[in-house]
């Protein structure tokens, strides 16, 4: 029947839209209940009104430590971009070398196993000691936390390249550069992009915590400054903004991964 067919055609739309809406609605309901029980906790409506005020002028500047949320997000993203870029420039080639040569794998694996479990914030004092400044120290923390997923995933990808491919390369007497560009890179790309996705998520987590400790301009410092002012609505707004920026970064990398691979990388 026409009506039933129309409902069946709309079913995928409802299944994709309604569950997230119900989830958000449940979160807002719990939030409202907490606000009713605890009068010091801002309600969703109060927080929304504050958010409108904040985003009506997100790029104001009234001094070095009094800037709009837009400038703070921009400062954090710049630090993440530099630290993450340096980690990719070092970590991806290193992963290729570790996966390609057993000697290098045996040399670096103990170092990676020792340093990988260390909290990135534990490296922040080392950065402050070496660089004598909070800004490069925060970038150093991003670098050290971002490099391990890229090294490990890239190395695993290289090690899982079928041996038949390498045998063909030997028969054809291909150079090492051609082996990397023609055989290893296409096969390793899905693993490498997985490492990049893991690294960017970790980097965004770490920069918020690092900026709380180092101060200056950044979304982490903004959260801490609002806490010192006991401005809880602004803290909640910052939490939502941090989550949304992290989600956007993740989705950008998922889109890049889908463009370069045939596998389902969205999960």
């Amino acid at each position: 029947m026409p009506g039933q067919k129309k409902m069946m055609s709309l079913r995928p739309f409802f299944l994709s839209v309604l569950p997230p809406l119900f989830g958000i609605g449940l979160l807002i309901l719990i939030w409202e209940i907490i606000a009713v029980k605890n009068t010091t906790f801002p309600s969703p409506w109060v927080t929304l009104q504050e958010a409108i005020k904040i985003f009506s002028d997100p790029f104001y500047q009234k001094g070095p430590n009094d800037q709009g949320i837009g400038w703070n997000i921009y400062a954090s993203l710049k630090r993440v971009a530099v630290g993450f870029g340096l980690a990719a420039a070092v970590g991806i080639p290193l992963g290729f070398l570790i996966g390609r040569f057993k000697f290098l794998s045996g040399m670096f694996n103990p170092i990676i196993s020792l340093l990988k479990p260390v909290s990135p914030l534990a490296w922040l004092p080392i950065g402050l000691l070496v660089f004598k400044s909070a800004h490069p120290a925060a970038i150093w923390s991003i670098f050290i936390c971002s490099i391990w997923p890229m090294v490990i995933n890239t190395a695993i990808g290289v090690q899982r390249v079928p041996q038949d491919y390498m045998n063909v390369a030997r028969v054809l007497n291909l150079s090492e550069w051609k082996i990397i560009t023609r055989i290893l890179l296409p096969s390793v790309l899905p693993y490498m992009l997985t490492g990049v996705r893991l690294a960017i998520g970790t980097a965004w987590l770490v920069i918020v915590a690092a900026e709380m400790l180092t101060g200056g301009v950044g979304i982490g410092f903004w959260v801490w400054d609002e806490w010192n002012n006991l401005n809880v609505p602004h803290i909640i707004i910052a939490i939502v903004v941090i989550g949304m920026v992290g989600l956007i970064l993740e989705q950008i990398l998922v889109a890049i991964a889908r463009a370069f691979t045939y596998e389902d990388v969205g999960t």
Side-chain angles (χ1 to χ4, degrees), residues 87-132:
V90 175
I92 291 174
L94 183 59
F96 268 99
L97 293 174
I98 291 173
R100 184 79 177 92
F101 301 105
K102 288 185 177 180
F103 179 83
L104 293 178
S105 177
M107 183 173 73
F108 281 101
N109 279 342
I111 299 174
I112 295 172
S113 299
L114 177 66
L115 298 182
K116 182 171 71 70
V118 178
S119 169
L121 293 181
W123 293 99
L124 187 59
I126 303 298
L128 291 170
L129 178 66
V130 173
F131 299 108
K132 311 295 184 183

Side-chain angles (χ1 to χ4, degrees), residues 1-12:
M1 296 193 308
Q4 189 175 3
K5 288 183 179 180
K6 186 176 181 181
M7 289 299 296
M8 290 297 293
S9 64
L10 291 175
R11 186 177 179 184

Side-chain angles (χ1 to χ4, degrees), residues 1 3 7 25 36 43 77 82 89 95 99 126 146 153 162 178 187 193 207 231 235 245 252 254 258 262 264:
M1 296 193 308
M7 289 299 296
V36 170
S43 67
L77 287 173
V82 174
I126 303 298
S146 301
N153 280 274
K178 286 188 176 180
S187 300
L193 290 173
I207 192 59
N231 199 335
I235 296 173
V245 172
I252 290 173
V254 167
R258 282 177 176 160
Y262 294 102
D264 184 9

Side-chain angles (χ1 to χ4, degrees), residues 55-109:
F55 287 102
S56 64
D57 187 13
F59 291 100
Y60 76 84
Q61 285 185 315
K62 296 181 180 178
N65 294 324
D66 186 10
Q67 301 186 32
I69 191 171
W71 290 117
N72 286 279
I73 295 171
Y74 175 68
S76 296
L77 287 173
K78 279 202 305 183
R79 293 188 182 104
V80 169
V82 174
F84 179 81
L86 291 173
V90 175
I92 291 174
L94 183 59
F96 268 99
L97 293 174
I98 291 173
R100 184 79 177 92
F101 301 105
K102 288 185 177 180
F103 179 83
L104 293 178
S105 177
M107 183 173 73
F108 281 101
N109 279 342

